[in-house]
Amino acid sequence: MAQDFYEVLGVNRDADPADIQRAYRRLARQHHPDVNKHSGAEERFKDIAEAYDVLSDPELRRRYDAFGEDFRRVPPDTDPAAWRQARTYADAGAGTRGRWSSGAGPSGGFGAGDFGDVDIEDLLGGIFGGRGRGGRGRAGWGPGPVPGSDHEAEVEVSVEEAYHGTERSVTISGPDGPRTLDVTIPAGVVDGQRIRLRGQGGSGGGSAAAGDLYLVVRIADHPRYRVEGRDLHALLPVAPWEAALGASVSVDTPGGAATVKVPAGSSSHRRLRLQGRGLPDRRGKPGNFYAELQIRVPTRLTDDEQRLFEELARVSSFDARSRR
């Protein structure tokens, strides 16, 4: 069973946008993979992010309140009451017989007790998770329109494209042959995010609307950057004297070069945060960029470097293997 987004965020169903945002920020800080190393924290963080994405968007929240877990699949302009009634009949079990009765109620839909010659689950199967024996959108089912099915496809983008936004031409197969769509990927998308293309799914039967196409974004592995939610991580090589004495070092980020101050006395694996330099968020705070220090030494020393390192070794009492 799908999770209830309100329960995920721990808010009441009448929570206002400010309450939802406060709940999201509190839970995100608690379960962010950078601070919570428990197993399952990352999945929990993704659930929280998905719940916030839906409940912070007025249109998505309205549909979620009306159609529950089916909110992404229900065609637009569907009457919620008729939908709930149809859902009840579909859940009643296989073998129930019913007839589509578009004129039975004030908004059309399924008339109670009006079953006769069409299997109700067959009619709704494609909509409610494909449980019926047939599909939808087929001709010959009766006088009522049958909404088109929703489709899903993946689209892969680079870290830079996720940061800046990009465009893609997506080719979709269909009964009339392949068709190509030009799609705008907005700046700040995260791995697993779904982009809805209204009306680009399967064709509807009769006068029913076509289904929607959902593009699931996948961020490709990057040779320098590692992505966690909206946060970006990268190694930052530094010289031994920069780590020992401190330095201002340039670091490449998807948003351009930035300068980070390396504190004196730094060791490898120390993480330096560049606040707000991660992936942007059009509805909230951007992610952060974390530079992890990696001390490197020359593979070949000049005569002067050899002499100075030998002098340092002679005068220094530092023990790199000491536990203190």
Side-chain angles (χ1 to χ4, degrees):
M1 177 178 294
Q3 295 187 87
D4 184 288
F5 290 153
Y6 290 97
E7 292 181 1
V8 170
L9 294 183
V11 297
N12 295 326
R13 304 192 80 80
D14 59 352
D16 62 30
D19 290 335
I20 290 173
Q21 186 176 62
R22 278 194 294 270
Y24 166 72
R25 288 178 175 176
R26 176 176 56 80
L27 293 170
R29 285 195 296 270
Q30 182 180 350
H31 295 281
H32 195 286
D34 282 343
V35 298
N36 191 332
K37 302 302 181 184
H38 289 89
S39 62
E42 184 172 354
E43 288 303 314
R44 172 72 169 138
F45 179 75
K46 289 180 179 178
D47 291 341
I48 293 166
E50 182 184 13
Y52 179 68
D53 282 344
V54 173
L55 298 187
S56 63
D57 185 308
E59 173 61 16
L60 287 179
R61 183 180 181 183
R62 183 190 66 77
R63 288 180 57 79
Y64 181 72
D65 289 343
F67 304 111
E69 63 183 272
D70 295 317
F71 76 103
R72 289 191 173 101
R73 297 185 293 172
V74 176
D77 303 324
T78 299
D79 179 68
W83 178 260
R84 285 191 293 273
Q85 190 176 22
R87 192 73 154 94
T88 300
Y89 290 138
D91 289 340
T96 304
R97 307 292 296 177
R99 182 174 67 244
W100 179 262
S101 55
S102 59
S107 58
F110 298 87
D114 198 16
F115 306 119
D117 53 4
V118 176
D119 189 308
I120 191 74
E121 185 161 343
D122 203 14
L123 187 60
L124 292 174
I127 304 175
F128 293 149
R131 290 173 295 181
R133 291 188 296 274
R136 56 181 169 160
R138 298 181 304 177
W141 271 0
V146 181
S149 60
D150 291 340
H151 293 172
E152 187 173 284
E154 289 192 357
V155 58
E156 187 176 82
V157 300
S158 67
V159 173
E160 289 85 354
E161 289 173 328
Y163 184 92
H164 294 288
T166 187
E167 295 183 350
R168 280 286 189 279
S169 292
V170 181
T171 300
I172 306 296
S173 298
D176 300 324
R179 55 195 174 96
T180 299
L181 303 174
D182 293 326
V183 179
T184 297
I185 310 293
V189 293
V190 296
D191 191 67
Q193 183 170 333
R194 292 157 60 94
I195 297 174
R196 180 189 185 192
L197 303 179
R198 187 189 299 268
Q200 297 298 336
S203 300
S207 60
D212 298 329
L213 171 63
Y214 288 91
L215 292 180
V216 181
V217 175
R218 299 299 179 198
I219 298 180
D221 291 339
H222 195 280
R224 294 199 310 274
Y225 306 130
R226 178 170 57 85
V227 182
E228 288 185 357
R230 296 190 183 281
D231 292 337
L232 301 177
H233 301 254
L235 293 175
L236 178 60
V238 293
W241 46 90
E242 291 175 324
L245 303 176
S248 292
V249 179
S250 178
V251 56
D252 289 331
T253 75
T259 300
V260 60
K261 289 188 176 181
V262 179
S266 294
S267 297
S268 287
H269 308 303
R270 182 171 187 172
R271 291 196 315 169
L272 306 177
R273 184 179 67 171
L274 283 77
Q275 189 167 3
R277 298 302 293 258
L279 296 178
D281 184 352
R282 63 187 175 91
R283 292 200 296 267
K285 295 174 59 177
N288 298 319
F289 188 99
Y290 293 91
E292 181 179 333
L293 298 184
Q294 184 183 52
I295 298 175
R296 292 184 180 176
V297 298
T299 54
R300 291 185 178 181
L301 299 176
T302 64
D303 290 343
D304 284 343
E305 289 170 338
Q306 181 80 28
R307 177 178 56 79
L308 290 171
F309 272 115
E310 290 176 347
E311 178 66 11
L312 178 62
R314 186 182 67 79
V315 302
S316 177
S317 60
F318 175 66
D319 182 358
R321 289 162 293 283
S322 172
R323 294 183 181 273
R324 293 185 299 174

